[in-house]
Amino acid sequence: MDRLANTVRPYAWGSTTAIPELLGVRPTGEPQAELWMGAHPGAPSRIDRGPGPTALGDAIAADPEGELGPDTVRRFGPHLPFLLKLLAAADPLSLQVHPDLEQARAGFAGEEARDVPHDAPHRNYKDANHKPELICALTTFEGFCGFRAPAVTAELLAALGVDSLKPYADLLHAQPESDALREILTAVLSADRAAMADTVTAAAAAAERLAAEEGPHHKAYAAYATIARHYPGDPGVIAAMLLNHVILNPGEALYLGAGVPHAYLSGLGVEIMANSDNVLRCGLTPKHVDVPELLRVVRFEACAPAVLRPEADEHGEEVYETPIDEFRLSRYVLAPCAEPFTVLPTGTPQILLCTEGSATLCDAEGAELLLDRGDSAFVRAGERVELSGEATVFRATVASAGSSAASVTSAA
């Protein structure tokens, strides 16, 4: 077991206080958006086994089967297939969608064949992997996720009283769901920017008014007014009005599969994802928006947000079940009056993150590692570790080959 030294990513939308407070350090005054735990080459965690600090990815590359286990290497290759993060949003993130595995492979191959530079601002596919993800709230966490039922969206748009939005409301009533959603998103993202800016301005003013009236959608209207203040005139504000507004309570999680448009607005959470940088943006960003490719990837179907609550097994592990192989997130809520220790499952690589209290890890030789709030550790596949203390500890690993997640993925 190895203590992880992790890197903070200072994206502009990040909170200046949430991650420092969790880590128990003084804020720098700069945004601290994400703390990365894993072997992603962009900001790999570092470990020290004696000679000095080394990147976790380098340790894995030196002995993939010893670090990850033969089954993980067989299924995913000699790389840690997931990335764990603390995500702290103070301002809205971009409205975005992720490709499925087949789309990612084809998109990456196509851009490679066209010699699109990897750092080009118009490049869509940084790698050939998909990017399903799960966000688990540590504080109240707000965002948008998936298309709302068309009839409800039509009602919400009509209530704004903006003439230029009326055709969209009519379409949602008149057309089949997928056709209406596709036509509206295409129109919003392809419209004359100045004309759309006028619509956004009028819609934002109406949303501000309706938020104050505390009607049936007042929280959603407040969220639209917020993103419009951050991105005045951005067509993504109207695109976001097609989506479910979601507020997670601490301990609740949101699973985001391929093709589902989403945006995070505010809050602190534990995020886990497949190792990929593939993002197609729909708006709320100054970055490149590739409308044709976006329309190819988005799934134009209304769906209720996949809000998850953990289910405990007989060993006290509370699991957030997802239909994905590359990651599995769970947590242990340890209490001193319970069993003196918990033996963690073995066979797969795992990262442990303490978010409350203090936890102690003890290996088979009796060596101990103390995890305080904000500390994390990497445990090699096959390594027997006991977990004890009074703490909340998140466990990130891969789905086992015989799990329901693996069977769901292979059947899809």
Side-chain angles (χ1 to χ4, degrees), residues 160-199:
L160 291 169
V162 177
D163 289 344
S164 53
L165 292 180
K166 187 177 184 301
Y168 302 154
D170 292 342
L171 268 174
L172 290 166
H173 285 304
Q175 295 270 17
E177 176 182 289
S178 60
D179 294 344
L181 293 171
R182 177 181 290 275
E183 188 168 340
I184 293 170
L185 189 63
T186 302
V188 167
L189 298 182
S190 305
D192 175 77
R193 189 78 182 212
M196 185 53 63
D198 291 340
T199 296

Side-chain angles (χ1 to χ4, degrees), residues 18-304:
I19 289 178
E21 181 180 333
L22 185 70
L23 299 179
V25 299
R26 185 185 300 275
T28 64
E30 298 297 319
Q32 299 194 23
E34 296 180 347
L35 181 77
W36 287 21
M37 291 157 279
H40 191 289
S45 299
R46 303 186 74 80
I47 61 175
D48 191 343
R49 295 177 177 170
T54 186
L56 178 60
D58 291 342
I60 292 171
D63 183 15
E65 290 199 357
E67 302 291 336
L68 305 177
D71 181 67
T72 298
V73 172
R74 177 183 59 81
R75 294 163 63 206
F76 305 112
H79 314 284
L80 189 68
F82 63 83
L83 176 64
L84 185 68
K85 299 179 181 180
L86 280 172
L87 184 147
D91 296 333
L93 281 68
S94 62
L95 186 61
Q96 59 189 254
V97 69
H98 305 304
D100 64 25
L101 189 56
E102 182 179 345
Q103 291 165 338
R105 288 172 175 168
F108 181 76
E111 291 187 329
E112 290 289 277
R114 297 193 300 275
D115 292 323
V116 180
H118 282 227
D119 59 353
H122 62 282
R123 175 142 189 161
N124 294 314
Y125 296 94
K126 310 294 186 184
D127 52 69
N129 201 14
H130 61 166
K131 193 185 178 186
E133 59 191 41
L134 177 79
I135 183 77
C136 178
L138 295 179
T139 66
T140 301
F141 198 95
E142 186 176 10
F144 300 117
C145 176
F147 290 110
R148 188 190 295 105
V152 180
T153 297
E155 172 189 301
L156 186 148
L157 293 178
L160 291 169
V162 177
D163 289 344
S164 53
L165 292 180
K166 187 177 184 301
Y168 302 154
D170 292 342
L171 268 174
L172 290 166
H173 285 304
Q175 295 270 17
E177 176 182 289
S178 60
D179 294 344
L181 293 171
R182 177 181 290 275
E183 188 168 340
I184 293 170
L185 189 63
T186 302
V188 167
L189 298 182
S190 305
D192 175 77
R193 189 78 182 212
M196 185 53 63
D198 291 340
T199 296
V200 172
T201 300
E208 191 93 54
R209 172 179 52 80
L210 290 168
E213 294 178 3
E214 298 197 357
H217 303 297
H218 73 279
K219 291 183 179 179
Y221 287 127
Y224 301 140
T226 296
I227 61 175
R229 285 194 295 272
H230 285 280
Y231 297 99
D234 193 306
V237 174
I238 306 302
M241 291 182 176
L242 304 175
L243 307 183
N244 297 291
H245 175 238
V246 185
I247 298 177
L248 300 177
N249 296 312
E252 293 180 332
L254 188 65
Y255 173 70
L256 297 157
V260 178
H262 61 277
Y264 300 149
L265 303 184
S266 64
L268 175 67
V270 175
E271 185 181 40
I272 189 169
M273 61 183 60
N275 250 333
S276 174
D277 293 319
N278 287 327
V279 175
L280 290 155
R281 295 175 176 85
C282 317
L284 310 183
T285 178
K287 295 182 179 180
H288 176 64
V289 176
D290 185 335
V291 175
E293 185 65 13
L294 174 72
L295 297 174
R296 193 179 72 84
V297 167
V298 169
R299 294 183 178 177
F300 290 98
E301 54 189 39
C303 59

Side-chain angles (χ1 to χ4, degrees), residues 266-405:
S266 64
L268 175 67
V270 175
E271 185 181 40
I272 189 169
M273 61 183 60
N275 250 333
S276 174
D277 293 319
N278 287 327
V279 175
L280 290 155
R281 295 175 176 85
C282 317
L284 310 183
T285 178
K287 295 182 179 180
H288 176 64
V289 176
D290 185 335
V291 175
E293 185 65 13
L294 174 72
L295 297 174
R296 193 179 72 84
V297 167
V298 169
R299 294 183 178 177
F300 290 98
E301 54 189 39
C303 59
V307 176
L308 305 175
R309 295 167 184 83
E311 298 182 10
D313 66 13
E314 65 272 22
H315 305 294
E317 184 181 18
E318 301 179 350
V319 181
Y320 293 91
E321 295 287 358
T322 58
I324 203 72
D325 281 4
E326 285 90 339
F327 62 73
R328 178 181 183 273
L329 186 69
S330 61
R331 70 178 184 181
Y332 291 91
V333 181
L334 306 174
C337 60
E339 294 293 328
F341 62 82
T342 297
V343 178
L344 296 176
T346 61
T348 58
Q350 51 194 309
I351 291 177
L352 304 174
L353 167 66
C354 180
T355 58
E356 286 290 343
S358 295
T360 299
L361 307 181
C362 182
D363 68 13
E365 284 73 44
E368 293 187 346
L369 181 62
L370 178 66
L371 298 184
D372 288 323
R373 195 166 183 251
D375 290 339
S376 57
F378 174 73
V379 178
R380 289 170 286 183
E383 187 174 12
R384 185 185 188 279
V385 171
E386 297 172 356
L387 177 65
S388 61
E390 185 174 2
T392 298
V393 177
F394 282 84
R395 176 177 181 257
T397 185
V398 300
S400 61
S403 71
S404 58

